[in-house]
Amino acid sequence: MSWSANTNDFSDIWPLAVEVSGTGVWDRNVATGEIRYSASWFRMLGYEDGAQSNPIEVAYTRVHPEDLVYVQVAMQAHFDGETSDYEVEHRLLCKDGSYKWVLSRGRVIQRDRHGRALRMTGTTTDITNTGLHKAKRASKRVGATQQRRKYDRCEDSPTFPQIRSQTMPCFVRGTAILTPRGPVPVETLTEGDAVLTVRENGPSERRVVWVGQRSFGTVAAILPEELRPVLIRASAFGPGVPERDLRLSPDHAIFTANHLVEAKRLINGTTVLRDPSCRTVTYHHIELDAHDILLAENLPSESYLDCGGRTSFTDFTAHAAPILLRPDATKTIGTFGCAPLATPGSATLRKIRAFLQTQARRASDGSIGSRTP
């Protein structure tokens, strides 16, 4: 390759520039979900198989669970014309099982006459070892240390002050919780069992330190609204998220867009709704050594956060009979969670609700939900 003084044509060096910059190129058919990647994109993740094309379902598996919905929300905003470009920092799974921080940028380059996105192209750049990203992570570590000192906390991860209802964030009997041995029903977990958490650097094991259960209702009447489970339909957040219908207590928070969001805040009447005919329910509490994020039916969901209701549970390990109680008076309490809480009226909550509505609309139209490269 010879050097040229022509400043109007860089076509001869463009592939080399992409290669040496640690950047990969992707091009997606939005309608079909097929994405083609350059060979440099795969080399960035430790593969040597060359350029190839993958369906969107495979792309989902590469994105860190903590980042997936955040990426989807940003993508949908660009599809809907709310942003001129798509640009997000997130983590991708490498061949060796580690995660790399990447910067993904892209733009819709073709739309139909109704304005719907048809084709999008962009780049993905490894930023794991860049000075800017290291500085950001260092800043976060310093901020987390200061916050722990301020609130006299001793956990390894930063905590976030928040106001929560003094009720029970719990799973309904039968919910599948991911463990190192695979998904298991929540009611089979006992103290000392290992579960997988997904909030930080990929899946990691944590031990259950306490379990409990509590039953409400009789067959004679439908449960009051504040006790009725919230039903999140299968694939409400995208294909397989959750994998099956998921039922949670109304104040139980899921983890999405790097925030905790109480299930009751996401009710839209279609893909997230209160169980309309529930007369009795048994809620199960899974407490870890620190508040963290589990996978419940493949949807990131919080472990039990003690807000003053722990003594209301039967000690499930003692195999005592369920307690049948009337609804508690609604109270709130200041506490510390593993992530910030998306509060009513916040921009984060509005974006997540808008994303769910878009997913619901696409599902009713028979089209595939939002996809991410």
Side-chain angles (χ1 to χ4, degrees):
M1 179 187 299
S2 60
W3 185 86
S4 171
N6 183 0
T7 58
N8 296 317
D9 183 9
F10 287 86
S11 58
D12 58 332
I13 64 168
W14 182 85
L16 178 61
V18 169
E19 182 74 25
V20 300
S21 67
T23 296
V25 179
W26 48 265
D27 183 33
R28 60 178 290 181
N29 184 324
V30 180
T32 66
E34 195 72 13
I35 309 172
R36 60 187 184 127
Y37 302 90
S38 66
S40 59
W41 195 97
F42 277 100
R43 277 194 290 272
M44 179 176 59
L45 301 181
Y47 295 91
E48 297 295 339
D49 297 333
Q52 58 180 282
S53 178
N54 289 157
I56 192 62
E57 289 76 14
V58 174
Y60 273 122
T61 66
R62 297 190 186 104
V63 179
H64 193 288
E66 181 180 336
D67 302 335
L68 180 57
V69 176
Y70 161 65
V71 169
Q72 291 174 319
V73 169
M75 181 68 68
Q76 192 60 51
H78 183 55
F79 285 164
D80 295 341
E82 298 175 8
T83 58
S84 58
D85 298 282
Y86 165 76
E87 181 173 328
V88 293
E89 291 184 12
H90 62 95
R91 285 160 288 184
L92 285 177
L93 182 65
C94 298
K95 182 179 180 180
D96 64 4
S98 65
Y99 281 91
K100 278 189 176 182
W101 278 99
V102 299
L103 172 63
S104 288
R105 290 187 173 117
R107 181 179 298 172
V108 171
I109 60 173
Q110 185 179 1
R111 296 180 182 270
D112 66 15
R113 61 189 182 90
H114 301 293
R116 290 188 290 261
L118 296 177
R119 184 182 176 188
M120 183 176 181
T121 190
T123 61
T124 301
T125 304
D126 179 7
I127 60 172
T128 304
N129 295 315
T130 63
L132 177 61
H133 195 67
K134 284 182 176 179
K136 284 183 178 179
R137 285 184 290 171
S139 176
K140 288 181 179 178
R141 286 195 295 269
V142 170
T145 300
Q146 292 173 340
Q147 186 177 43
R148 287 196 296 274
R149 289 173 179 169
K150 178 179 179 181
Y151 294 106
D152 194 26
R153 305 289 290 180
C154 60
E155 287 86 348
D156 292 335
S157 300
T159 56
F160 299 83
Q162 53 200 249
I163 301 297
R164 300 288 291 270
S165 297
Q166 194 172 354
T167 53
M168 293 74 62
C170 304
F171 302 101
V172 171
R173 180 185 293 271
T175 300
I177 303 296
L178 187 62
T179 74
R181 63 182 189 274
V184 302
V186 63
E187 63 270 21
T188 67
L189 290 171
T190 60
E191 293 177 23
D193 282 349
V195 296
L196 291 179
T197 61
V198 296
R199 181 172 54 91
E200 294 186 329
N201 300 318
S204 59
E205 288 190 21
R206 294 196 93 139
R207 296 288 169 177
V208 175
V209 300
W210 196 80
V211 294
Q213 72 174 33
R214 186 173 179 178
S215 294
F216 292 95
T218 68
V219 295
I222 292 177
L223 279 172
E225 186 175 271
E226 61 267 28
L227 293 179
R228 224 180 300 157
V230 172
L231 170 62
I232 302 177
R233 295 290 189 190
S235 298
F237 284 83
V241 186
E243 288 184 337
R244 302 188 303 169
D245 287 355
L246 173 64
R247 291 171 172 83
L248 305 169
S249 60
D251 297 298
H252 197 126
I254 66 166
F255 182 70
T256 180
N258 292 319
H259 282 71
L260 294 167
V261 190
E262 292 167 319
K264 64 186 179 184
R265 308 292 183 198
L266 300 176
I267 293 173
N268 57 19
T270 52
T271 57
V272 184
L273 60 158
R274 289 194 188 272
D275 200 329
S277 58
C278 184
R279 295 175 182 269
T280 63
V281 65
T282 298
Y283 286 124
H284 289 266
H285 150 100
I286 301 297
E287 186 172 9
L288 308 179
D289 55 351
H291 189 228
D292 213 329
I293 304 301
L294 306 163
L295 278 180
E297 304 292 357
N298 201 39
L299 180 68
S301 308
E302 68 175 337
S303 62
Y304 181 77
L305 179 62
D306 189 8
C307 296
R310 178 170 171 166
T311 57
S312 299
F313 283 88
T314 300
D315 184 349
F316 189 45
T317 59
H319 302 290
I323 304 171
L324 297 175
L325 296 174
R326 292 178 292 116
D328 294 327
T330 301
K331 298 179 181 179
T332 59
I333 187 171
T335 189
F336 295 84
C338 66
L341 184 68
T343 54
S346 66
T348 298
L349 182 57
R350 288 196 300 270
K351 287 180 180 179
I352 295 169
R353 287 182 58 85
F355 171 76
L356 282 172
Q357 286 294 100
T358 300
Q359 290 290 93
R361 185 173 64 251
R362 288 171 177 258
S364 65
D365 293 339
S367 59
I368 299 176
S370 176
R371 310 176 181 101
T372 180

